Amino acid sequence: MSLAFLALALVCVVTASAAMISRNLIHSALLLVLTWIGLAGLYLWAGADFVGFSQAIVYVGGVSMVVLFAVLLTRRQRDEPLVLIPEAGVGRVVAGLAATFWVAALLVPAMVVAPLVQRAGPGPTLTVKRIGELLAGPHLVAVLVVGVILTVSLIGALYLAAPVTAEDQPEWDNGGTGRDRGNQEEPS
Amino acid sequence: MTGDYGALGRALLPEGVLVATALVVILCDLVWGRGRGRESRVQASVLLGLLGLVAACVILWQEGVLGEVGSGALNLDFLAVAVRVGVVVLSGFSLLTLVGGNTRSQPAEYVALLLFATVGFLQMAAAQTLLLAFLGLELASLSLYVLAGYDRTRPESAEAALKYYLQGGVSAAVLLFGFSLLYGLTGSIGFREISLVLVSNPPGALGAVAVGMVLVAFGYKVAVAPFHLWAPDVYQGAPTSSAALIASASKLAGVALFWRLLWSGLGPTSGGVNLSSSGPGGWVLVVAVMAAASLLLGNLVALAQRNLRRLLAYSAIGHAGGLALGLLAAGEVGPGPLFYYAATYGLATVGIFGCIALTERETSCATLEDLAGLWRRSPLVAACLAVFVLSLAGIPPLAGFFGKFVVFAAALRIDGLGHPAGWVALLAIVMSMVSLYYYLIVLKQAWLVVPPTPPRRMAVPLVASLALVAAAAGLVVLGVFPSILLGLF
Amino acid sequence: MSPLHLCLLLSTVLFCIGLAAVLVRTSAILVLLGVELMLNAANLNFIAFWRYGPGGDDTGVIFVLFSIAVAAAEAAVGLALVIALHRHRRTIALKAANQLRG
Amino acid sequence: MTLSASLLWLIPATPLAASVFGLFAPRTARTLPIAGALLGLVAALGLSVAALAGALVDPAVRATSDFAWFTFGAQTLRLGWLLDPLAGFMCVLVTLIGLLVALFSTAYLRHDPRIGRFFGFLSLFVAAMLGLLVTNSLLLLFICWELVGLASYLLIGFWYERPAAAAAAKKAFITTRIGDLGFLIGLVWLHQATGSALFHDGGAGALDAPTLARLSSTLLPGGWAVSTAIGLLLFVGAAGKSGQFPLHVWLPDAMEGPTPVSALIHAATMVAAGVFLMARVFPLMAADQGLATVPFHALTGVAVIGAVTALLGAVLAVAQNDIKRVLAYSTVSQLGYMMLAIGVGSWVAAVFHLITHAFFKALLFLGAGSVIDATHHEQDLRRLGGLAGRMRVTFATFALGTGALMGLPFVFSGFWSKEAILHAAEGWTVSHLPFAAGLVGVVLTAFYMTRLVLEVFFGKARGEGAAHAEESPGLMRGPLVVLAVAAVGLGWLGLPNWPWLQTRLQGGDWPVHGLGEGFGLMVVSTALVLLGIGAGWWWYGRVKRTDARALDPLARSWPAVHAALAGRLWLDELYAATVGRAFAMLARVAAFFDRWVWGGAVEAAGRTAETVGQVNRAVDEDGLNAGFDNTSEHLRGSGRRYAKAQTGDAQSYLRVVAIGLAVVGVLLLWGGVR
């Protein structure tokens, strides 16, 4: 058991917890970037170099940027003192933590007692060339599907995030929010 | 390895056609549609999309059963082909609801996303590794999130999409975690290899957690209680044709995927179909509980609904219980009854959404009261609606009755009442009686109630009416001659 | 406790932290980040099992590569949806999205 | 000319074609659907007669013709047609009465703008009933059974503008669905136990002797035979359709439909289906008779319910003021007699009575329709009167029908069929209570029918409608005369010493008992009829009613009894208080569990008190005076309570997912994923 692992694990847990507790959205996002870096470090430590670099590039370089964009775009006013998250009510916090507790109570013992076979000695190595062969061979279908997924997310995200234009208005207005009706209880 | 590429190319041809069509639709709209009226752009996009779907359907039919391709990643067995044809047909009907419906902006992107979602369904129908199952699920889900939130003018649409997304995202994360555990337990991601390892090595507590996580995702995808909560909100808030797609094709593909995953992958953990030897246990028991909860909850809550779409959603939750029951029974009698139930259910649902889409062109179609006098506005739509609703209610000789019959009979055939599935089947029979009450309320509104203001006749586009009649006729024909579908298996 | 068990424990802890964020935080963006954390935890499992597990093949690593891509796509769509919500309700508090009910 | 079994499907197919034609014909064409329906019925009648002729060539032989409906894997589901004298007689009965009712309706509904649709539904109704009769498969029988229910729903609710009609249609549909539930469960069970959906299949069918031996020898926990349980479940279905206690509540309300529909429902189609089903599956019902160890025989249950219904219907008919309601309760009572006959083992007597009853009850209903039509829709006995002179044909035929229903001796058909039933009941070894109930019912029947005739046709007209009534047109009188002839003459087909009908139905010898053997019983029953007539005359004949508002003579004598009877013994209210309450409690208990799982422990704690409060309130508030619809309202209320769990808050949904994951995981661990 290496010290490096413990250190990285500590970084991940601490930053992730802090990110999830912080009341400032920007702080949370930045702390989470640290978590991602920590995870990338763990991958490197385990010998999965390529995955580690991918994690760093995609998350630290990509996802975090998208998050920051979203944070900035959803500020109410330009001069708003950075996005403070409203307090969750006590009930919500307690109910949410209770639910999490039950899941943890299920998962943690199962993980700890699992009788797993472990490989002795040094871990496997995986070269980039081998990854390339795998992607072009047995996992070719998956590569194609991921391509489509990325296309979908590109089209979808651009469409959804774009501002509403005049073209969006329906030609026939049938009372817009009409679908809200019928939720109310009938008088009984 | 290179020899495999040819077979793979053939197997993926339908997907390729759909992706190409999607891109062509967008391009065409950019080039040809510039400056044209919205109606013609919608028609052009739908027409192109439909062409793509028809082509895909023909190719699927022509190719038939190809067996395993892509190094065992996909298994194009008989069920896969049947489900693939089924989802393409249901996607086609969902697309057609766009013609009659209250048209929205940027139809080309909408059609393209619908086609991408169909590609996802096609993957789900054939996936035989955890990786492709996950990717197919995600492709379909991501497209559906966007489709659900496609109406940018209505806050309900955004809200529905966000709720759908959040529960979907959590379910996907849970599923991925479960998959990682399965990989760890068996050292493999192929369903068959997993099954082989699980037979010889009991998976223990970690396996229970992994199976539970898979069941969470199953519950989400098919809207089985208690993972159904997104459904009413999404049915209500999403654009009509998106809701139709979510309710029909997505469900059929989900059922097929989880049938394969649970039986041919996790079969050894099912606790056995024939429990008489070992006593109840495994996921069969849990799915039975979920099915019972769904049946009770969906049908009872549907009784209280005044909103048509929410009523449909809760009835869908009830039917999801039936699908879960069919999933159990599939271990004994094969996936035939399950497929029949899911396909005919999807057809009836997509038909009802078609009727809603046509109705809300001119007036709002939200509450049950909005249906009042439908038979005066359009006898054709009202008649088709009656067929769809009665099929859902399980009135013979429509396909819905037969779907229920084969599933219940199959569930009882496992071991009569000696098996939990038998009891759930009994409950399902009782609940199908309860469901009749609210289905009749829908029909009463459409057929008997006279609206306060004299209704105008509504204009029904020819294509839309043809589609409705085709769906209704399909339900009648499949109900009278069920061997058309069942005989295949 | 063996390294594999420690890795699993770490991933479980991360999974639960993510879940807690999803269930407790009011900001839709933070909820999305919680989901991302849960996905990351699953990825960590794959790597751990690849490194220490019984299997001989490399599919675990490949799986992680794909899931990273998918997670990124999911994040993009999710954040776009949050922006869409914000457009209507002028807030990203999840509580604002409760018009559909019953 | 005879009709082979393979062509039996033509019999239901002709009215079905007519109904499709009638429903899709343009609304302006009024005569086309009528002509189509009449033509279809005439053709079906001809085919039925041919089929019957074929069946009578050798009554002991059952002709079946089966076909594979679909094949699924190694399994093939076969359906088929079955021709025996039972099916033949019933087909002729249904088509003949259907035809007469249709003829009557052409005149009765001459002013209705939707007469085309009416005839479409009517044809569908008859077609479904015919399909039910000629099938060789319980599954196909069930499908037709459901179609009969659907068509009756459409016909009872034909005048949907009237809220009472809509409510009655709903009530009929829902009540019979409760029965259908039993039927469906029994059907699925039978299918699962025998692996065959066919009745007769060369030894492998569900009603063939080897299968029955297997079913009756398989025992359930508690010593019950499987055949007993399945038989009782099927009887629940038959009880729903045939208006047996306690599922009879829909039948009187079904009067809201047009009167010809009532005639059809009460005579030949809907209610006959239940009796027919029992006759058809009689071998199954009787399979446990030979077993001494079985704690309960299926037929015993049938006999008891039949006796209760026979008595109850007659009692309730006494104090009704609506002419159609009196007749409706009388139908309930007569159906009770039929079930009683089946219960005591004489299904042949039941079918005999079914046939005679079909004719005279159709006659009585059409006669009532004639009165109602002539008096401009006056149905209240108290506002009628003195019609004997003005409507001679109607009166004469109605009187003949009354004689048949009472069972006036020797001349009328009802006498002979009722005698057959009472004779069978007398010989039942298990108990004599059903026999006694049958005898009491005879008195009551004579009493209420005497009252009906005296109030409607004698005395002086007490309302506007009755004062200016004129005889109905020829198209209405014609069917009445035909039915009257049958009501008198049909009984001669099944005399005790010349049981032609019985031997044909049985397919073998029927024990002939000469007039001498049954003579004592006949004397007793004749005396009872005379007693009933005398009592009726005592109360309603001596002093004629002169004012519509005058108190009922019976109410003057015994006010408490009359009030109880007029309130239909508060059975509807009892249902609301028991069934409705039970559903509500169930729903609340379910809602409680639901919340507990959904909201997690924290939310549940706060809401337990609330749930307890709700249960409390329900017990307090829901008094005994709620109506039938409360049952469904309770169900909806529980749904509404569930729906509140859907708070709209996305995070509460996600919490449910998390809790659900934990619960599923625990369930899996507990169940033991091996």
Side-chain angles (χ1 to χ4, degrees):
Chain A
M1 197 65 248
S2 75
L3 212 61
F5 171 81
L6 288 179
L8 285 169
L10 198 67
V11 166
C12 286
V13 172
V14 168
T15 53
S17 312
M20 293 306 147
I21 291 170
S22 163
R23 283 201 59 214
N24 186 315
L25 201 45
I26 298 285
H27 292 177
S28 286
L30 293 176
L31 281 167
L32 216 56
V33 169
L34 288 180
T35 314
W36 289 330
I37 290 175
L39 277 168
L42 276 173
Y43 298 162
L44 290 176
W45 168 82
D49 305 1
F50 190 77
V51 180
F53 291 129
S54 307
Q55 164 91 6
I57 291 169
V58 173
Y59 273 100
V60 180
V63 178
S64 62
M65 286 303 120
V66 180
V67 173
L68 286 179
F69 265 116
V71 171
L72 295 176
L73 277 173
T74 54
R75 266 194 309 177
R76 237 166 296 184
Q77 286 117 25
R78 197 164 292 274
D79 54 345
E80 194 178 47
L82 272 177
V83 265
L84 285 183
I85 305 158
E87 290 273 6
V90 177
R92 189 173 292 252
V93 172
V94 173
L97 288 181
T100 313
F101 170 78
W102 290 117
V103 174
L106 173 74
L107 287 184
V108 171
M111 295 291 170
V112 174
V113 303
L116 290 167
V117 188
Q118 292 205 36
R119 193 195 329 236
T125 49
L126 190 58
T127 60
V128 178
K129 179 164 176 292
R130 171 85 180 124
I131 290 178
E133 281 170 5
L134 282 172
L135 290 184
H139 298 295
L140 184 59
V141 186
V143 174
L144 297 175
V145 176
V146 161
V148 183
I149 289 180
L150 293 175
T151 316
V152 166
S153 79
L154 188 69
I155 296 176
L158 283 180
Y159 173 81
L160 288 175
V164 181
T165 60
E167 199 205 10
D168 279 320
Q169 300 304 329
E171 282 165 24
W172 309 283
D173 195 351
N174 52 27
T177 56
R179 281 186 207 153
D180 273 344
R181 289 196 292 126
N183 279 335
Q184 290 83 25
E185 289 234 337
E186 291 172 279
S188 49
Chain B
M1 184 62 74
T2 45
D4 203 20
Y5 286 146
L8 191 61
R10 269 184 61 199
L12 293 183
L13 195 55
E15 282 93 332
V17 167
L18 290 180
V19 171
T21 314
L23 299 177
V24 168
V25 169
I26 293 179
L27 263 182
C28 179
D29 193 59
L30 277 177
V31 177
W32 177 85
R34 186 179 293 272
R36 280 177 206 266
R38 194 180 337 185
E39 190 66 26
S40 54
R41 280 173 61 196
V42 170
Q43 279 165 2
S45 303
V46 170
L47 186 72
L48 277 174
L50 211 56
L51 278 178
L53 285 170
V54 170
C57 200
V58 170
I59 294 169
L60 282 169
W61 197 255
Q62 291 284 318
E63 284 179 344
V65 176
L66 290 177
E68 293 194 6
V69 293
S71 317
L74 295 175
N75 186 0
L76 289 168
D77 59 2
F78 196 86
L79 176 78
V81 175
V83 172
R84 280 154 77 93
V85 172
V87 293
V88 168
V89 169
L90 290 176
S91 296
F93 277 115
S94 304
L95 184 59
L96 279 168
T97 61
L98 207 60
V99 180
N102 192 347
T103 331
R104 297 195 168 73
S105 61
Q106 306 209 12
E109 279 83 352
Y110 188 94
V111 173
L113 284 168
L114 190 143
L115 294 175
F116 286 137
T118 310
V119 173
F121 301 149
L122 293 180
Q123 289 299 311
M124 285 162 70
Q128 200 170 231
T129 62
L130 298 181
L131 179 57
L132 271 183
F134 183 69
L135 291 180
L137 213 54
E138 280 298 305
L139 173 53
S141 296
L142 282 175
S143 316
L144 290 178
Y145 302 148
V146 182
L147 290 177
Y150 208 78
D151 192 343
R152 286 188 296 203
T153 59
R154 283 188 313 118
E156 297 94 345
S157 182
E159 181 183 333
L162 188 66
K163 283 177 173 171
Y164 193 32
Y165 171 85
L166 284 176
Q167 199 171 341
V170 170
S171 300
V174 169
L175 180 70
L176 190 66
F177 202 87
F179 279 1
S180 72
L181 295 182
L182 285 177
Y183 168 72
L185 284 167
T186 63
S188 162
I189 62 167
F191 291 175
R192 191 171 306 127
E193 293 80 4
I194 290 176
S195 167
L196 285 177
V197 176
L198 288 181
V199 167
S200 46
N201 302 335
L206 212 52
V209 170
V211 174
M213 289 177 155
V214 170
L215 289 183
V216 170
F218 163 69
Y220 160 75
K221 198 68 203 166
V222 188
V224 186
F227 307 106
H228 64 280
L229 287 156
W230 57 270
D233 294 356
V234 171
Y235 277 47
Q236 186 185 356
T240 309
S241 42
S242 310
L245 193 69
I246 290 170
S248 59
S250 164
K251 212 164 256 195
L252 176 58
V255 163
L257 169 68
F258 282 97
W259 174 78
R260 209 182 285 279
L261 174 55
L262 284 171
W263 279 114
S264 56
L266 301 177
T269 63
S270 67
V273 195
N274 279 314
L275 302 171
S276 41
S277 54
S278 54
W283 59 256
V284 162
L285 178 70
V286 179
V287 172
V289 171
M290 286 164 70
S294 271
L295 284 163
L296 263 177
L297 192 132
N299 285 307
L300 285 183
V301 181
L303 287 173
Q305 294 302 318
R306 310 299 307 163
N307 183 301
L308 181 58
R309 290 159 184 261
R310 293 190 85 83
L311 187 149
L312 278 180
Y314 282 109
S315 109
I317 293 164
H319 280 284
L323 290 172
L325 188 60
L327 183 76
L328 291 187
E332 176 79 7
V333 296
L338 179 63
F339 171 71
Y340 183 89
Y341 192 140
T344 54
Y345 165 77
L347 193 57
T349 308
V350 88
I352 292 183
F353 275 108
C355 295
I356 293 178
L358 284 169
T359 312
E360 71 184 355
R361 262 160 76 95
E362 303 189 357
T363 60
S364 98
C365 184
T367 63
L368 287 172
E369 284 75 25
D370 290 335
L371 282 179
L374 184 64
W375 63 281
R376 287 244 183 94
R377 282 184 263 167
S378 167
L380 178 86
V381 173
C384 290
L385 183 73
V387 172
F388 301 137
V389 169
L390 288 177
S391 177
L392 285 188
I395 297 287
L398 296 171
F401 165 75
F402 203 75
K404 286 182 178 176
F405 178 78
V406 282
V407 166
F408 298 166
L412 278 167
R413 206 177 301 139
I414 298 176
D415 187 20
L417 291 182
H419 189 281
W423 289 101
V424 179
L426 217 55
L427 178 70
I429 294 174
V430 173
M431 280 301 140
S432 69
M433 300 290 159
V434 171
S435 72
L436 198 72
Y437 187 79
Y438 58 81
Y439 286 127
L440 279 181
I441 291 178
V442 174
L443 283 193
K444 191 177 105 192
Q445 287 291 335
W447 276 94
L448 298 184
V449 172
V450 179
T453 53
R456 279 188 306 138
R457 268 192 98 76
M458 57 193 218
V460 180
L462 181 67
V463 183
S465 55
L466 280 180
L468 278 189
V469 170
L475 285 175
V476 175
V477 171
L478 287 177
V480 179
F481 305 105
S483 39
I484 297 175
L485 284 187
L486 277 175
L488 299 173
F489 287 89
Chain C
M1 194 174 280
S2 69
L4 178 53
H5 281 107
L6 270 179
C7 279
L8 292 184
L9 197 60
L10 172 61
S11 76
T12 306
V13 169
L14 288 178
F15 185 84
C16 290
I17 292 175
L19 186 63
V22 168
L23 298 187
V24 171
R25 301 312 303 262
T26 50
S27 160
I29 292 185
L30 260 179
V31 170
L32 292 192
L33 290 177
V35 174
E36 289 297 318
L37 204 53
M38 290 164 77
L39 288 169
N40 279 320
N43 287 348
L44 184 57
N45 268 350
F46 274 115
I47 296 294
F49 281 124
W50 167 76
R51 168 70 178 76
Y52 292 109
D57 66 351
D58 299 320
T59 42
V61 174
I62 301 293
F63 213 124
V64 174
L65 282 178
F66 284 115
S67 89
I68 288 176
V70 168
E74 211 177 270
V77 171
L79 289 166
L81 278 170
V82 171
I83 292 173
L85 177 78
H86 182 264
R87 188 161 53 225
H88 292 292
R89 304 259 191 254
R90 309 312 302 167
T91 171
I92 54 166
L94 213 49
K95 279 183 286 190
N98 64 352
Q99 303 302 301
L100 302 171
R101 65 168 94 179
Chain D
M1 194 192 90
T2 57
L3 194 70
S4 70
S6 55
L7 289 177
L8 271 180
W9 58 271
L10 280 172
I11 296 180
T14 40
L16 186 67
S19 92
V20 171
F21 175 72
L23 289 177
F24 285 89
R27 273 206 284 168
T28 45
R30 286 167 57 87
T31 49
L32 266 169
I34 300 176
L38 290 177
L39 210 63
L41 283 169
V42 169
L45 178 59
L47 290 167
S48 303
V49 171
L52 177 61
L56 288 184
V57 171
D58 185 356
V61 175
R62 281 190 205 91
T64 58
S65 162
D66 304 326
F67 58 94
W69 189 21
F70 71 93
T71 308
F72 162 53
Q75 272 198 314
T76 302
L77 187 64
R78 287 159 68 216
L79 303 178
W81 313 110
L82 166 66
L83 178 61
D84 61 0
L86 175 63
F89 278 117
M90 290 296 296
C91 280
V92 174
L93 172 81
V94 169
T95 46
L96 184 56
I97 291 186
L99 182 61
L100 292 172
V101 167
L103 279 173
F104 187 88
S105 307
T106 53
Y108 191 81
L109 286 169
R110 56 194 179 272
H111 301 305
D112 198 295
R114 284 173 298 161
I115 188 167
R117 224 205 275 187
F118 176 83
F119 274 89
F121 290 155
L122 193 77
S123 303
L124 177 66
F125 201 15
V126 174
M129 186 69 196
L130 289 171
L132 185 154
L133 296 176
V134 297
T135 174
N136 185 26
S137 144
L138 198 59
L139 177 63
L140 196 53
L141 194 151
F142 179 74
I143 292 176
C144 296
W145 178 277
E146 288 291 295
L147 286 178
V148 169
L150 190 67
S152 75
Y153 175 74
L154 295 169
L155 280 172
I156 296 172
F158 186 67
W159 286 326
Y160 56 77
E161 306 88 0
R162 313 207 310 218
K170 205 167 71 183
K171 190 165 169 180
F173 201 58
I174 290 175
T175 314
T176 52
R177 283 299 278 211
I178 294 176
D180 294 353
L181 184 59
F183 190 171
L184 189 56
I185 294 174
L187 161 71
V188 175
W189 193 351
L190 185 66
H191 185 254
Q192 190 244 334
T194 64
S196 168
L198 293 177
F199 288 137
H200 297 285
D201 187 20
L207 294 187
D208 287 326
T211 317
L212 289 178
R214 206 172 67 236
L215 283 180
S216 59
S217 58
T218 316
L219 293 187
L220 294 170
W224 288 49
V226 168
S227 72
T228 313
I230 295 177
L232 286 176
L233 283 170
L234 294 183
F235 176 61
V236 172
K241 265 297 188 266
S242 286
Q244 299 295 300
F245 175 83
L247 296 180
H248 67 277
V249 285
W250 66 270
L251 195 49
D253 284 19
M255 297 295 88
E256 294 295 340
T259 305
V261 173
S262 313
L264 200 56
I265 286 179
H266 284 253
T269 44
M270 181 116 163
V271 297
V275 180
F276 173 79
L277 172 67
M278 285 293 102
R280 177 56 87 208
V281 300
F282 186 79
L284 174 71
M285 305 295 298
D288 57 5
Q289 285 301 83
L291 302 174
T293 54
V294 176
F296 190 80
H297 294 289
L299 284 180
T300 308
V302 178
V304 169
I305 293 287
V308 170
T309 311
L311 197 56
L312 185 81
V315 167
L316 291 177
V318 168
Q320 300 303 318
N321 285 322
D322 184 317
I323 178 170
K324 284 170 74 179
R325 265 183 197 280
V326 176
L327 293 176
Y329 277 112
S330 125
T331 306
V332 172
S333 168
Q334 298 299 311
L335 289 166
Y337 276 104
M338 296 175 209
M339 287 298 181
L340 169 62
I342 287 173
V344 299
S346 179
W347 67 269
V348 172
V351 173
F352 183 25
H353 194 56
L354 176 62
I355 292 173
T356 59
H357 173 262
F359 283 95
F360 63 71
K361 189 48 70 66
L363 167 62
L364 289 172
F365 263 109
L366 292 186
S370 172
V371 166
I372 292 167
D373 189 55
T375 57
H376 303 287
H377 293 268
E378 183 58 71
Q379 299 183 206
D380 194 328
L381 290 182
R382 292 165 296 189
R383 300 174 57 78
L384 290 167
L387 292 178
R390 291 195 191 81
M391 307 178 69
R392 288 179 184 283
V393 176
T394 304
F395 170 62
T397 52
F398 198 91
L400 291 176
T402 305
L405 174 55
M406 285 178 183
L408 280 178
F410 307 126
V411 182
F412 293 97
S413 61
F415 175 76
W416 298 112
S417 54
K418 194 179 283 182
E419 200 273 340
I421 292 178
L422 290 177
H423 184 80
E426 193 185 12
W428 200 41
T429 50
V430 179
S431 162
H432 267 89
L433 283 178
F435 177 57
L439 290 181
V440 176
V442 170
V443 185
L444 289 167
T445 308
F447 177 74
Y448 66 72
M449 283 314 290
T450 310
R451 169 181 179 243
L452 182 66
V453 171
L454 287 174
E455 294 265 60
V456 172
F457 290 102
F458 293 98
K460 88 182 221 282
R462 297 177 294 270
E464 273 304 299
H468 303 104
E470 282 174 22
E471 184 55 284
S472 301
L475 260 179
M476 285 162 77
R477 274 176 291 158
L480 288 181
V481 173
V482 175
L483 287 170
V485 171
V488 175
L490 273 181
W492 301 93
L493 293 179
L495 295 180
N497 53 351
W498 185 67
W500 180 83
L501 187 69
Q502 284 93 326
T503 36
R504 296 302 178 281
L505 276 174
Q506 178 99 328
D509 283 339
W510 176 258
V512 175
H513 61 99
L515 286 177
E517 189 195 332
F519 196 67
L521 179 61
M522 286 185 209
V523 170
V524 171
S525 96
T526 307
L528 291 176
V529 170
L530 292 178
L531 176 65
I533 295 177
W537 183 80
W538 177 264
W539 263 291
Y540 296 94
R542 281 180 313 151
V543 187
K544 301 280 187 307
R545 180 196 283 274
T546 50
D547 183 5
R549 278 158 305 183
L551 198 59
D552 194 277
L554 187 65
R556 229 173 359 224
S557 311
W558 292 326
V561 174
H562 187 266
L565 297 183
R568 299 184 230 164
L569 298 177
W570 297 291
L571 278 177
D572 285 1
E573 286 74 9
L574 186 69
Y575 288 160
T578 52
V579 180
R581 183 75 64 79
F583 267 123
M585 293 292 270
L586 199 71
R588 287 188 177 107
V589 171
F592 172 76
F593 278 110
D594 202 55
R595 290 221 167 107
W596 194 82
V597 176
W598 282 24
V602 179
E603 285 173 38
R607 290 196 180 159
T608 308
E610 192 192 333
T611 312
V612 170
Q614 274 171 356
V615 173
N616 217 352
R617 186 181 57 80
V619 175
D620 286 347
E621 277 183 9
D622 304 337
L624 283 175
N625 52 354
F628 174 87
D629 277 346
N630 263 21
T631 307
S632 33
E633 267 313 308
H634 275 311
L635 276 177
R636 298 192 65 191
S638 69
R640 232 173 268 135
R641 233 156 278 132
Y642 268 117
K644 276 192 192 151
Q646 189 98 2
T647 54
D649 176 18
Q651 240 152 4
S652 75
Y653 299 0
L654 300 177
R655 275 203 299 276
V656 173
V657 173
I659 298 276
L661 169 62
V663 171
V664 166
V666 168
L667 272 177
L668 282 168
L669 282 173
W670 169 68
V673 163
R674 282 166 286 269

